[in-house]
PDB file of all heavy atoms in Angstrom:
ATOM      1  N   ARG A1578      -4.293  -4.488  -7.233  1.00 98.00           N
ATOM      2  CA  ARG A1578      -4.812  -5.813  -7.543  1.00 98.00           C
ATOM      3  C   ARG A1578      -6.250  -5.752  -8.043  1.00 98.00           C
ATOM      4  O   ARG A1578      -6.636  -6.499  -8.945  1.00 98.00           O
ATOM      5  CB  ARG A1578      -4.691  -6.724  -6.315  1.00 98.00           C
ATOM      6  CG  ARG A1578      -3.243  -7.002  -5.911  1.00 98.00           C
ATOM      7  CD  ARG A1578      -3.141  -7.989  -4.763  1.00 98.00           C
ATOM      8  NE  ARG A1578      -3.679  -9.284  -5.139  1.00 98.00           N
ATOM      9  CZ  ARG A1578      -4.780  -9.831  -4.609  1.00 98.00           C
ATOM     10  NH1 ARG A1578      -5.475  -9.185  -3.681  1.00 98.00           N
ATOM     11  NH2 ARG A1578      -5.187 -11.017  -4.991  1.00 98.00           N
ATOM     12  N   VAL A1579      -7.054  -4.853  -7.460  1.00 98.00           N
ATOM     13  CA  VAL A1579      -8.429  -4.676  -7.928  1.00 98.00           C
ATOM     14  C   VAL A1579      -8.450  -4.278  -9.405  1.00 98.00           C
ATOM     15  O   VAL A1579      -9.310  -4.707 -10.175  1.00 98.00           O
ATOM     16  CB  VAL A1579      -9.166  -3.619  -7.084  1.00 98.00           C
ATOM     17  CG1 VAL A1579     -10.476  -3.190  -7.751  1.00 98.00           C
ATOM     18  CG2 VAL A1579      -9.456  -4.150  -5.688  1.00 98.00           C
ATOM     19  N   PHE A1580      -7.463  -3.494  -9.812  1.00 98.00           N
ATOM     20  CA  PHE A1580      -7.403  -3.033 -11.191  1.00 98.00           C
ATOM     21  C   PHE A1580      -6.502  -3.903 -12.071  1.00 98.00           C
ATOM     22  O   PHE A1580      -6.038  -3.480 -13.125  1.00 98.00           O
ATOM     23  CB  PHE A1580      -6.997  -1.576 -11.248  1.00 98.00           C
ATOM     24  CG  PHE A1580      -8.069  -0.658 -10.730  1.00 98.00           C
ATOM     25  CD1 PHE A1580      -7.874   0.094  -9.575  1.00 98.00           C
ATOM     26  CD2 PHE A1580      -9.312  -0.575 -11.377  1.00 98.00           C
ATOM     27  CE1 PHE A1580      -8.871   0.923  -9.090  1.00 98.00           C
ATOM     28  CE2 PHE A1580     -10.310   0.254 -10.895  1.00 98.00           C
ATOM     29  CZ  PHE A1580     -10.108   1.003  -9.751  1.00 98.00           C
ATOM     30  N   GLY A1581      -6.258  -5.141 -11.617  1.00 98.00           N
ATOM     31  CA  GLY A1581      -5.641  -6.148 -12.469  1.00 98.00           C
ATOM     32  C   GLY A1581      -4.137  -6.198 -12.498  1.00 98.00           C
ATOM     33  O   GLY A1581      -3.543  -6.898 -13.335  1.00 98.00           O
ATOM     34  N   HIS A1582      -3.461  -5.480 -11.592  1.00 98.00           N
ATOM     35  CA  HIS A1582      -2.009  -5.495 -11.567  1.00 98.00           C
ATOM     36  C   HIS A1582      -1.529  -6.333 -10.383  1.00 98.00           C
ATOM     37  O   HIS A1582      -1.616  -5.906  -9.234  1.00 98.00           O
ATOM     38  CB  HIS A1582      -1.470  -4.060 -11.448  1.00 98.00           C
ATOM     39  CG  HIS A1582       0.004  -3.957 -11.691  1.00 98.00           C
ATOM     40  ND1 HIS A1582       0.557  -3.945 -12.951  1.00 98.00           N
ATOM     41  CD2 HIS A1582       1.049  -3.865 -10.833  1.00 98.00           C
ATOM     42  CE1 HIS A1582       1.868  -3.835 -12.866  1.00 98.00           C
ATOM     43  NE2 HIS A1582       2.191  -3.789 -11.588  1.00 98.00           N
ATOM     44  N   ASP A1583      -1.035  -7.524 -10.665  1.00 96.00           N
ATOM     45  CA  ASP A1583      -0.636  -8.449  -9.602  1.00 96.00           C
ATOM     46  C   ASP A1583       0.816  -8.284  -9.162  1.00 96.00           C
ATOM     47  O   ASP A1583       1.184  -8.751  -8.077  1.00 96.00           O
ATOM     48  CB  ASP A1583      -0.844  -9.903 -10.056  1.00 96.00           C
ATOM     49  CG  ASP A1583      -2.315 -10.279 -10.105  1.00 96.00           C
ATOM     50  OD1 ASP A1583      -3.101  -9.681  -9.350  1.00 96.00           O
ATOM     51  OD2 ASP A1583      -2.684 -11.163 -10.909  1.00 96.00           O
ATOM     52  N   ARG A1584       1.652  -7.661  -9.986  1.00 96.00           N
ATOM     53  CA  ARG A1584       3.068  -7.526  -9.624  1.00 96.00           C
ATOM     54  C   ARG A1584       3.246  -6.322  -8.695  1.00 96.00           C
ATOM     55  O   ARG A1584       3.846  -5.315  -9.039  1.00 96.00           O
ATOM     56  CB  ARG A1584       3.921  -7.398 -10.892  1.00 96.00           C
ATOM     57  CG  ARG A1584       3.964  -8.696 -11.690  1.00 96.00           C
ATOM     58  CD  ARG A1584       5.019  -8.678 -12.761  1.00 96.00           C
ATOM     59  NE  ARG A1584       4.854  -7.569 -13.691  1.00 96.00           N
ATOM     60  CZ  ARG A1584       3.967  -7.538 -14.659  1.00 96.00           C
ATOM     61  NH1 ARG A1584       3.142  -8.570 -14.834  1.00 96.00           N
ATOM     62  NH2 ARG A1584       3.892  -6.497 -15.469  1.00 96.00           N
ATOM     63  N   VAL A1585       2.687  -6.479  -7.514  1.00 98.00           N
ATOM     64  CA  VAL A1585       2.754  -5.452  -6.495  1.00 98.00           C
ATOM     65  C   VAL A1585       2.970  -6.108  -5.138  1.00 98.00           C
ATOM     66  O   VAL A1585       2.364  -7.139  -4.837  1.00 98.00           O
ATOM     67  CB  VAL A1585       1.471  -4.572  -6.504  1.00 98.00           C
ATOM     68  CG1 VAL A1585       0.199  -5.408  -6.307  1.00 98.00           C
ATOM     69  CG2 VAL A1585       1.551  -3.457  -5.478  1.00 98.00           C
ATOM     70  N   TRP A1586       3.860  -5.508  -4.339  1.00 98.00           N
ATOM     71  CA  TRP A1586       4.207  -6.070  -3.047  1.00 98.00           C
ATOM     72  C   TRP A1586       4.275  -4.944  -2.009  1.00 98.00           C
ATOM     73  O   TRP A1586       4.543  -3.789  -2.355  1.00 98.00           O
ATOM     74  CB  TRP A1586       5.569  -6.772  -3.079  1.00 98.00           C
ATOM     75  CG  TRP A1586       5.614  -7.931  -4.013  1.00 98.00           C
ATOM     76  CD1 TRP A1586       5.398  -9.257  -3.716  1.00 98.00           C
ATOM     77  CD2 TRP A1586       5.880  -7.891  -5.431  1.00 98.00           C
ATOM     78  NE1 TRP A1586       5.507 -10.020  -4.850  1.00 98.00           N
ATOM     79  CE2 TRP A1586       5.806  -9.233  -5.917  1.00 98.00           C
ATOM     80  CE3 TRP A1586       6.182  -6.872  -6.336  1.00 98.00           C
ATOM     81  CZ2 TRP A1586       6.013  -9.541  -7.255  1.00 98.00           C
ATOM     82  CZ3 TRP A1586       6.388  -7.203  -7.676  1.00 98.00           C
ATOM     83  CH2 TRP A1586       6.308  -8.530  -8.121  1.00 98.00           C
ATOM     84  N   VAL A1587       4.023  -5.284  -0.754  1.00 98.00           N
ATOM     85  CA  VAL A1587       4.157  -4.339   0.353  1.00 98.00           C
ATOM     86  C   VAL A1587       5.542  -4.520   0.963  1.00 98.00           C
ATOM     87  O   VAL A1587       6.015  -5.649   1.133  1.00 98.00           O
ATOM     88  CB  VAL A1587       3.052  -4.576   1.408  1.00 98.00           C
ATOM     89  CG1 VAL A1587       3.327  -3.765   2.678  1.00 98.00           C
ATOM     90  CG2 VAL A1587       1.689  -4.211   0.837  1.00 98.00           C
ATOM     91  N   LEU A1588       6.184  -3.418   1.305  1.00 98.00           N
ATOM     92  CA  LEU A1588       7.481  -3.487   1.974  1.00 98.00           C
ATOM     93  C   LEU A1588       7.256  -3.883   3.425  1.00 98.00           C
ATOM     94  O   LEU A1588       6.613  -3.154   4.179  1.00 98.00           O
ATOM     95  CB  LEU A1588       8.206  -2.146   1.886  1.00 98.00           C
ATOM     96  CG  LEU A1588       9.600  -2.113   2.493  1.00 98.00           C
ATOM     97  CD1 LEU A1588      10.543  -3.061   1.745  1.00 98.00           C
ATOM     98  CD2 LEU A1588      10.161  -0.693   2.499  1.00 98.00           C
ATOM     99  N   ASP A1589       7.770  -5.029   3.803  1.00 98.00           N
ATOM    100  CA  ASP A1589       7.548  -5.558   5.142  1.00 98.00           C
ATOM    101  C   ASP A1589       8.226  -4.671   6.191  1.00 98.00           C
ATOM    102  O   ASP A1589       9.445  -4.513   6.189  1.00 98.00           O
ATOM    103  CB  ASP A1589       8.107  -6.990   5.224  1.00 98.00           C
ATOM    104  CG  ASP A1589       7.355  -7.870   6.197  1.00 98.00           C
ATOM    105  OD1 ASP A1589       6.301  -7.445   6.691  1.00 98.00           O
ATOM    106  OD2 ASP A1589       7.823  -9.006   6.430  1.00 98.00           O
ATOM    107  N   GLY A1590       7.426  -4.078   7.065  1.00 98.00           N
ATOM    108  CA  GLY A1590       7.970  -3.176   8.080  1.00 98.00           C
ATOM    109  C   GLY A1590       8.053  -1.732   7.625  1.00 98.00           C
ATOM    110  O   GLY A1590       8.340  -0.850   8.454  1.00 98.00           O
TER     111      GLY A1590
END
Side-chain angles (χ1 to χ4, degrees):
R1578 294 184 64 246
V1579 167
F1580 290 115
H1582 191 79
D1583 288 333
R1584 291 192 303 282
V1585 57
W1586 298 266
V1587 170
L1588 183 63
D1589 210 9

